Amino acid sequence: MVYRAILPDGDIECDQYEQAEFGVDLFYEGTFVAFVPYTNLIAILDEEAIPGDDRSIA
């Protein structure tokens, strides 16, 4: 499963995340990628739930 962490200045792709007290730890193939504080996190999206490449709101 692929997730996308949405940040104010971009996004980070990961396949696993863990919630912590002050933010989320992002992992890709078992390797730590980034820590994102909740204050900088807009959303974590499940890529499989988004149909195709159309991410606009209709």
Side-chain angles (χ1 to χ4, degrees):
M1 183 170 294
V2 177
Y3 299 100
R4 188 168 301 277
I6 307 300
L7 310 171
D9 57 349
D11 58 277
I12 301 172
E13 188 175 292
C14 62
D15 61 5
Q16 179 183 358
Y17 67 93
E18 295 178 5
Q19 294 179 304
E21 184 175 353
F22 299 107
V24 292
D25 293 324
L26 306 177
F27 300 89
Y28 192 80
E29 296 181 353
T31 302
F32 176 78
V33 176
F35 170 77
V36 179
Y38 289 126
T39 56
N40 294 341
L41 182 65
I42 295 173
I44 295 183
L45 303 176
D46 177 352
E47 287 288 307
E48 293 177 9
I50 300 171
D53 289 331
D54 183 17
R55 297 184 183 161
S56 64
I57 298 174

